[in-house]
Amino acid sequence: MRKLKTTTKIDFATYIGVIIAFVVITVLMNGGMLTRSFSGMLVPICCSIVMAVSLNLTVGILGELSLGHAGFVSVGAFSGVIASQSLVNAVESEPVRLLIAIVVGAICAAIAGILIGIPVLRLRGDYLAIVTLAFGEIIKDLINCLIVGVDSKGLHVLFNAKGTLTVQDLNLKEGGSVIIKGAQGATGIKTISTFTAGFILVMVALIVVLNLTRSRSGRAIMALRDNRIAAESVGINVTKYKLMAFVTSAALAGAAGALYGLNYSSLVSSTFNFNMSIEILLMVVFGGLGNIWGSVIAAAAIKLLPEMLRALADYRMLIYAIILILVMIAINNPTIKGLLGKILPKKKGDEIDG
Amino acid sequence: MEFLSYLISGISLGSVYAIIALGYTMVYGIAKMLNFAHGDVIMVGGYVSLLTMTSLGLPVWVAILLAMVVCTILGILIEGLAYKPLRSAPSLAVLITAIGVSYFLQNSALLIWGANPQVYTPVIEGAVKLFDGQLSITYISILTVVVCVVIMIALTIFTSKSKMGKAMRACSEDKAAAQLMGINVNKTISLTFAIGSALASVAGILLCSSYPTLMPTTGSMPGIKAFTAAVFGGIGSIPGAFLGGILLGIIESLAKAYISTQLANSVVFAVLIIVLLVRPAGLLGKYVPEKV
């Protein structure tokens, strides 16, 4: 019973921490005490937190290495942008439109998650990692070939595989507008993402992931991670629970993508490349596998780190890389690990090593 | 005739992938880690050879030799400084460190040589013309294929016959047992990284000679492709890496010609996914239980 209580306490501490951070930042922002570059970072930071929390579900809780998380983010981003842009006239209220876009983004990413998850989850270890990487690249290339426009007759979608089609081939009616121009990506997006929406999405993601983890299904998923054969022999349906974690993770990533996409006036699919998947994975590993509040802090820190190193100009990314290597070596050093173990109080049932 | 020329350029590209994949697969076999920095060693090899040829004006063979030496030292340094402290750490920690090393190499190259693409002078120029000039095969693609086959055969002999090669195989099977037999595991792993990096520099020279632009990010996509090739053929297996690399190159070249230039990479990855679904351990993964 004490164990259960500790996890509940940590969950509530996570929620309260996020709420306090939101309140403090909002107060500071209204007081005009934040720099422009920092307030511009707020929505991307919220998106990164949601992406990291959702990837932690796949990597930390389910225990499968995914290197293609950016693929789901990009599905969510582009479907969210299409939804929002085609409803510009129909839905006046921006928050409502943002909500619709996020829901559409989540649903589309979830569908992609199901399509990819069913074949892929049969593989294990590094093979699964390479296939998720491959899917991420395929999604990026496919979106690169899309030409989408909207007019009074509805959506027009072209698939520009040969690279010969142009926007004119959409045959849009008078007053129609082009949403995605193939390799040029989406342009002229009405930016409707707000920090409040980002905060709400972070809270939703936390509630979904934490409740899933602490539920019966969550325990089944963790049992699969710890010992698949043992879990299977006590009657846990492997495909069902693996898919449940994978699709939930994809849907949340899609929601984050929609928010991310609607934060910029233009968007190209090459943004969502392998490096983005890796950056999200970094956040998860730094925060600790299976440790949700760790992901929240690590995501914010990793997004802010290059900003803080801005003074170093050209050497910024070099220092970033060195910090990365040194931190990885330090946290895996037995001596330092022992020291940390003495300083930090033991958290039962919270830190789960993968 | 058109088909034949696409096929040949595919085999040539595939040979480059195969050389990189051989390094990947050896390192994976022994250290059980995905070395994402491998692709960036290719780039370093490219820059070193280019600078030796243009800035120092030295002959081609010196450039090749120097690139190999620099990359070998680089490989040993990377292994010793970044990966060795993580020998007993979880594999994900090593993966992230490898990515850190990759960022480090890319950004160092950016600072030293700048972001602008540089034009690479091919190590050999010219082409053979066959069928009244309908089919032209560049010398560099012939050289690439020959070098790849030679390296593959040499590596196979090295790992099956020589003492060091046998030690490498023993380490990849069971490190603790290998140590008990008197094998110096750390030295063997360093040697594997050295060989892998030397191969990467050769691949870098050949790649840049066929596709003569060089940027700090030149190595990353071939690195990922070679990783795909290694998995395709069954990671840990030397003939598998060779086969995977060649097939991948052919598929990519034909897809570029007949399906779509933009979707060529997607076709490659889609084939990989299908192969892995049918044979979850790669093409030769099952039949070659020994890992090197």
Side-chain angles (χ1 to χ4, degrees):
Chain A
M1 282 311 281
R2 263 187 77 203
K3 215 173 183 181
L4 200 76
K5 238 172 133 185
T6 324
T7 56
T8 323
K9 262 190 228 157
I10 289 166
D11 290 359
F12 276 108
T14 311
Y15 295 138
I16 291 167
V18 172
I19 293 171
I20 292 173
F22 170 70
V23 171
V24 169
I25 290 170
T26 315
V27 168
L28 286 178
M29 199 157 60
N30 289 340
M33 279 150 86
L34 292 184
T35 57
R36 260 185 86 88
S37 73
F38 184 75
S39 8
M41 293 284 294
L42 290 174
V43 177
I45 287 175
C46 288
C47 295
S48 296
I49 291 175
V50 179
M51 292 172 207
V53 167
S54 63
L55 185 65
N56 206 338
L57 187 59
T58 309
V59 179
I61 314 279
L62 178 63
E64 299 287 8
L65 178 58
S66 164
L67 294 177
H69 210 54
F72 297 121
V73 177
S74 110
V75 170
F78 282 92
S79 52
V81 165
I82 293 172
S84 164
Q85 289 296 97
S86 49
L87 293 174
V88 165
N89 299 323
V91 183
E92 289 283 325
S93 159
E94 284 187 357
V96 177
R97 209 162 70 226
L98 183 61
L99 179 70
I100 295 172
I102 289 176
V103 171
V104 169
I107 292 171
C108 290
I111 294 169
I114 295 171
L115 289 178
I116 294 169
I118 290 173
V120 161
L121 290 173
R122 294 173 51 211
L123 299 166
R124 253 166 252 147
D126 295 328
Y127 289 95
L128 188 125
I130 179 86
V131 170
T132 49
L133 188 163
F135 265 116
E137 292 294 311
I138 291 177
I139 290 175
K140 188 185 81 185
D141 279 1
L142 290 183
I143 291 178
N144 225 353
C145 291
L146 276 184
I147 299 179
V148 181
V150 66
D151 63 7
S152 53
K153 286 176 97 180
L155 275 180
H156 295 249
V157 180
L158 282 180
F159 190 70
N160 185 17
K162 285 272 175 207
T164 48
L165 301 173
T166 58
V167 175
Q168 268 69 43
D169 295 307
L170 283 170
N171 295 323
L172 290 180
K173 291 236 183 295
E174 194 84 9
S177 63
V178 185
I179 302 175
I180 299 176
K181 297 175 187 163
Q184 288 167 26
T187 47
I189 305 169
K190 297 245 174 341
T191 52
I192 52 176
S193 293
T194 57
F195 178 47
T196 315
F199 161 71
I200 296 169
L201 192 63
V202 169
M203 286 305 283
V204 170
L206 284 176
I207 292 169
V208 168
V209 173
L210 286 175
N211 277 305
L212 178 66
T213 319
R214 312 297 185 221
S215 72
R216 192 186 162 85
S217 309
R219 287 191 295 275
I221 293 167
M222 284 187 277
L224 281 176
R225 173 196 64 192
D226 294 336
N227 192 329
R228 193 185 56 86
I229 297 166
E232 211 173 352
S233 61
V234 294
I236 291 172
N237 185 335
V238 177
T239 319
K240 180 184 158 193
Y241 287 108
K242 272 193 174 181
L243 209 57
M244 182 190 277
F246 196 70
V247 172
T248 312
S249 162
L252 288 173
L259 186 74
Y260 185 88
L262 290 167
N263 189 42
Y264 299 100
S265 58
S266 64
L267 196 64
V268 286
S269 74
S270 53
T271 315
F272 305 99
N273 56 9
F274 177 61
N275 287 337
M276 187 180 193
S277 298
I278 291 297
E279 198 186 52
I280 308 172
L281 185 66
L282 266 183
M283 297 166 184
V284 174
V285 174
F286 269 17
L289 291 179
N291 185 337
I292 302 297
W293 65 265
S295 292
V296 175
I297 294 170
I302 287 181
K303 270 280 154 193
L304 285 173
L305 188 60
E307 279 306 301
M308 288 188 284
L309 294 176
R310 190 149 288 239
L312 300 166
D314 290 344
Y315 294 91
R316 188 163 64 119
M317 288 311 288
L318 195 67
I319 304 285
Y320 178 80
I322 295 172
I323 292 177
L324 196 68
I325 299 168
L326 289 181
V327 168
M328 265 356 261
I329 292 175
I331 59 177
N332 286 294
N333 188 306
T335 329
I336 296 176
K337 231 180 194 171
L339 279 176
L340 277 178
K342 274 182 201 157
I343 300 163
L344 297 172
K346 273 248 184 294
K347 289 168 302 221
K348 276 187 186 167
D350 173 56
E351 283 241 38
I352 311 147
D353 291 323
Chain B
M1 212 46 68
E2 211 180 30
F3 175 78
L4 213 58
S5 82
Y6 289 132
L7 190 69
I8 289 165
S9 73
I11 293 173
S12 152
L13 178 66
S15 303
V16 176
Y17 289 157
I19 299 173
I20 311 169
L22 284 170
Y24 239 118
T25 231
M26 287 176 69
V27 167
Y28 182 88
I30 201 158
K32 293 287 174 290
M33 64 167 291
L34 300 173
N35 184 11
F36 273 109
H38 198 70
D40 300 294
V41 178
I42 301 171
M43 172 269 299
V44 174
Y47 272 111
V48 170
S49 56
L50 176 67
L51 286 181
T52 325
M53 284 189 289
T54 53
S55 303
L56 301 178
L58 292 169
V60 171
W61 62 270
V62 180
I64 297 173
L65 217 60
L66 195 66
M68 283 175 76
V69 170
V70 169
C71 285
T72 308
I73 294 169
L74 187 68
I76 295 172
L77 275 181
I78 291 172
E79 199 275 329
L81 294 177
Y83 302 151
K84 208 181 220 166
L86 295 168
R87 239 350 102 66
S88 56
S91 62
L92 207 53
V94 192
L95 180 85
I96 299 288
T97 312
I99 289 160
V101 173
S102 160
Y103 284 172
F104 178 80
L105 291 179
Q106 277 183 24
N107 287 294
S108 309
L110 195 68
L111 287 174
I112 301 171
W113 295 300
N116 290 337
Q118 303 199 13
V119 181
Y120 194 89
T121 6
V123 284
I124 331 175
E125 282 175 286
V128 244
K129 297 237 189 298
L130 294 175
F131 305 108
D132 304 328
Q134 284 182 45
L135 182 67
S136 96
I137 307 171
T138 53
Y139 286 129
I140 191 71
S141 51
I142 298 172
L143 180 74
T144 309
V145 178
V146 171
V147 167
C148 175
V149 172
V150 168
I151 288 176
M152 209 273 289
I153 294 170
L155 272 184
T156 316
I157 294 171
F158 174 72
T159 52
S160 56
K161 299 272 187 264
S162 77
K163 204 170 177 183
M164 275 318 281
K166 282 179 186 165
M168 275 159 90
R169 264 166 49 212
C171 285
S172 72
E173 294 259 327
D174 188 334
K175 281 196 194 64
Q179 200 154 20
L180 288 174
M181 296 299 118
I183 294 170
N184 188 337
V185 174
N186 276 332
K187 219 183 222 170
T188 313
I189 294 180
S190 292
L191 179 78
T192 314
F193 271 89
I195 295 177
S197 306
L199 292 185
S201 71
V202 174
I205 294 164
L206 293 171
L207 180 78
C208 295
S209 299
S210 308
Y211 302 88
T213 49
L214 189 55
M215 282 187 288
T217 51
T218 294
S220 55
M221 203 56 195
I224 292 177
K225 292 265 184 63
F227 172 32
T228 313
V231 175
F232 193 69
I235 196 154
S237 133
I238 286 181
F242 176 75
L243 184 70
I246 300 278
L247 281 179
L248 210 72
I250 295 174
I251 295 168
E252 186 181 329
S253 169
L254 293 184
K256 230 175 225 164
Y258 295 107
I259 301 176
S260 157
T261 331
Q262 287 176 321
L263 292 176
N265 286 346
S266 294
V267 172
V268 169
F269 287 126
V271 172
L272 167 86
I273 292 167
I274 294 164
V275 168
L276 280 187
L277 290 179
V278 182
R279 295 190 59 88
L283 285 176
L284 300 181
K286 220 172 187 177
Y287 297 120
V288 189
E290 55 178 27
K291 287 187 174 173
V292 179

mmCIF file of all heavy atoms in Angstrom, chain A residues 227-242:
data_model
loop_
_atom_site.group_PDB
_atom_site.id
_atom_site.type_symbol
_atom_site.label_atom_id
_atom_site.label_comp_id
_atom_site.label_asym_id
_atom_site.label_seq_id
_atom_site.Cartn_x
_atom_site.Cartn_y
_atom_site.Cartn_z
ATOM 1 N N ASN A 227 9.308 -8.923 -18.879
ATOM 2 C CA ASN A 227 9.523 -10.288 -19.346
ATOM 3 C C ASN A 227 8.348 -10.707 -20.203
ATOM 4 O O ASN A 227 7.280 -11.044 -19.709
ATOM 5 C CB ASN A 227 9.679 -11.247 -18.169
ATOM 6 C CG ASN A 227 10.194 -12.593 -18.611
ATOM 7 O OD1 ASN A 227 9.911 -13.026 -19.732
ATOM 8 N ND2 ASN A 227 10.936 -13.253 -17.770
ATOM 9 N N ARG A 228 8.589 -10.686 -21.506
ATOM 10 C CA ARG A 228 7.498 -10.925 -22.440
ATOM 11 C C ARG A 228 6.933 -12.337 -22.294
ATOM 12 O O ARG A 228 5.718 -12.537 -22.273
ATOM 13 C CB ARG A 228 7.992 -10.711 -23.868
ATOM 14 C CG ARG A 228 6.894 -10.627 -24.905
ATOM 15 C CD ARG A 228 7.480 -10.540 -26.294
ATOM 16 N NE ARG A 228 8.365 -11.664 -26.561
ATOM 17 C CZ ARG A 228 7.947 -12.843 -27.014
ATOM 18 N NH1 ARG A 228 6.667 -13.045 -27.254
ATOM 19 N NH2 ARG A 228 8.795 -13.826 -27.226
ATOM 20 N N ILE A 229 7.833 -13.311 -22.165
ATOM 21 C CA ILE A 229 7.368 -14.699 -22.140
ATOM 22 C C ILE A 229 6.551 -14.960 -20.876
ATOM 23 O O ILE A 229 5.471 -15.553 -20.919
ATOM 24 C CB ILE A 229 8.570 -15.662 -22.247
ATOM 25 C CG1 ILE A 229 9.254 -15.437 -23.597
ATOM 26 C CG2 ILE A 229 8.131 -17.102 -22.120
ATOM 27 C CD1 ILE A 229 10.615 -16.049 -23.708
ATOM 28 N N ALA A 230 7.058 -14.451 -19.742
ATOM 29 C CA ALA A 230 6.319 -14.639 -18.491
ATOM 30 C C ALA A 230 4.948 -13.959 -18.568
ATOM 31 O O ALA A 230 3.932 -14.524 -18.167
ATOM 32 C CB ALA A 230 7.123 -14.073 -17.324
ATOM 33 N N ALA A 231 4.923 -12.750 -19.137
ATOM 34 C CA ALA A 231 3.664 -12.022 -19.241
ATOM 35 C C ALA A 231 2.681 -12.768 -20.128
ATOM 36 O O ALA A 231 1.495 -12.891 -19.817
ATOM 37 C CB ALA A 231 3.925 -10.624 -19.805
ATOM 38 N N GLU A 232 3.215 -13.296 -21.235
ATOM 39 C CA GLU A 232 2.354 -14.008 -22.168
ATOM 40 C C GLU A 232 1.774 -15.255 -21.507
ATOM 41 O O GLU A 232 0.611 -15.597 -21.699
ATOM 42 C CB GLU A 232 3.172 -14.388 -23.405
ATOM 43 C CG GLU A 232 2.358 -14.436 -24.676
ATOM 44 C CD GLU A 232 3.240 -14.654 -25.895
ATOM 45 O OE1 GLU A 232 4.480 -14.614 -25.753
ATOM 46 O OE2 GLU A 232 2.673 -14.859 -26.974
ATOM 47 N N SER A 233 2.589 -15.921 -20.690
ATOM 48 C CA SER A 233 2.124 -17.172 -20.103
ATOM 49 C C SER A 233 1.107 -16.961 -18.990
ATOM 50 O O SER A 233 0.409 -17.898 -18.610
ATOM 51 C CB SER A 233 3.312 -18.000 -19.600
ATOM 52 O OG SER A 233 3.983 -17.260 -18.625
ATOM 53 N N VAL A 234 1.002 -15.737 -18.461
ATOM 54 C CA VAL A 234 -0.079 -15.512 -17.504
ATOM 55 C C VAL A 234 -1.302 -14.917 -18.200
ATOM 56 O O VAL A 234 -2.240 -14.455 -17.555
ATOM 57 C CB VAL A 234 0.328 -14.613 -16.307
ATOM 58 C CG1 VAL A 234 1.362 -15.290 -15.459
ATOM 59 C CG2 VAL A 234 0.794 -13.255 -16.769
ATOM 60 N N GLY A 235 -1.293 -14.934 -19.513
ATOM 61 C CA GLY A 235 -2.513 -14.596 -20.242
ATOM 62 C C GLY A 235 -2.617 -13.164 -20.723
ATOM 63 O O GLY A 235 -3.699 -12.698 -21.059
ATOM 64 N N ILE A 236 -1.481 -12.441 -20.749
ATOM 65 C CA ILE A 236 -1.552 -11.068 -21.265
ATOM 66 C C ILE A 236 -1.473 -11.098 -22.789
ATOM 67 O O ILE A 236 -0.596 -11.746 -23.362
ATOM 68 C CB ILE A 236 -0.404 -10.220 -20.666
ATOM 69 C CG1 ILE A 236 -0.670 -10.008 -19.173
ATOM 70 C CG2 ILE A 236 -0.289 -8.884 -21.368
ATOM 71 C CD1 ILE A 236 0.464 -9.363 -18.440
ATOM 72 N N ASN A 237 -2.413 -10.403 -23.416
ATOM 73 C CA ASN A 237 -2.464 -10.357 -24.874
ATOM 74 C C ASN A 237 -1.377 -9.409 -25.388
ATOM 75 O O ASN A 237 -1.481 -8.193 -25.251
ATOM 76 C CB ASN A 237 -3.850 -9.859 -25.282
ATOM 77 C CG ASN A 237 -4.044 -9.887 -26.777
ATOM 78 O OD1 ASN A 237 -3.087 -9.834 -27.536
ATOM 79 N ND2 ASN A 237 -5.289 -9.973 -27.197
ATOM 80 N N VAL A 238 -0.308 -9.987 -25.967
ATOM 81 C CA VAL A 238 0.866 -9.191 -26.329
ATOM 82 C C VAL A 238 0.519 -8.112 -27.346
ATOM 83 O O VAL A 238 0.797 -6.929 -27.140
ATOM 84 C CB VAL A 238 1.986 -10.101 -26.895
ATOM 85 C CG1 VAL A 238 3.164 -9.271 -27.326
ATOM 86 C CG2 VAL A 238 2.402 -11.110 -25.856
ATOM 87 N N THR A 239 -0.111 -8.519 -28.456
ATOM 88 C CA THR A 239 -0.402 -7.565 -29.530
ATOM 89 C C THR A 239 -1.274 -6.429 -29.022
ATOM 90 O O THR A 239 -1.018 -5.261 -29.292
ATOM 91 C CB THR A 239 -1.120 -8.287 -30.682
ATOM 92 O OG1 THR A 239 -0.494 -9.543 -30.866
ATOM 93 C CG2 THR A 239 -1.055 -7.485 -31.939
ATOM 94 N N LYS A 240 -2.322 -6.786 -28.268
ATOM 95 C CA LYS A 240 -3.275 -5.775 -27.809
ATOM 96 C C LYS A 240 -2.588 -4.714 -26.960
ATOM 97 O O LYS A 240 -2.729 -3.512 -27.218
ATOM 98 C CB LYS A 240 -4.373 -6.465 -26.996
ATOM 99 C CG LYS A 240 -5.428 -5.514 -26.455
ATOM 100 C CD LYS A 240 -6.417 -6.255 -25.574
ATOM 101 C CE LYS A 240 -7.104 -5.306 -24.624
ATOM 102 N NZ LYS A 240 -7.834 -6.020 -23.566
ATOM 103 N N TYR A 241 -1.803 -5.130 -25.977
ATOM 104 C CA TYR A 241 -1.222 -4.151 -25.067
ATOM 105 C C TYR A 241 -0.075 -3.377 -25.706
ATOM 106 O O TYR A 241 0.110 -2.194 -25.440
ATOM 107 C CB TYR A 241 -0.809 -4.814 -23.756
ATOM 108 C CG TYR A 241 -2.010 -5.152 -22.920
ATOM 109 C CD1 TYR A 241 -2.426 -6.463 -22.743
ATOM 110 C CD2 TYR A 241 -2.773 -4.138 -22.362
ATOM 111 C CE1 TYR A 241 -3.554 -6.756 -22.007
ATOM 112 C CE2 TYR A 241 -3.909 -4.421 -21.630
ATOM 113 C CZ TYR A 241 -4.293 -5.732 -21.449
ATOM 114 O OH TYR A 241 -5.424 -6.010 -20.731
ATOM 115 N N LYS A 242 0.710 -4.071 -26.562
ATOM 116 C CA LYS A 242 1.776 -3.350 -27.260
ATOM 117 C C LYS A 242 1.170 -2.271 -28.139
ATOM 118 O O LYS A 242 1.614 -1.123 -28.153
ATOM 119 C CB LYS A 242 2.576 -4.323 -28.139
ATOM 120 C CG LYS A 242 3.712 -4.985 -27.427
ATOM 121 C CD LYS A 242 4.603 -5.667 -28.440
ATOM 122 C CE LYS A 242 5.844 -6.218 -27.787
ATOM 123 N NZ LYS A 242 6.727 -6.863 -28.749
#
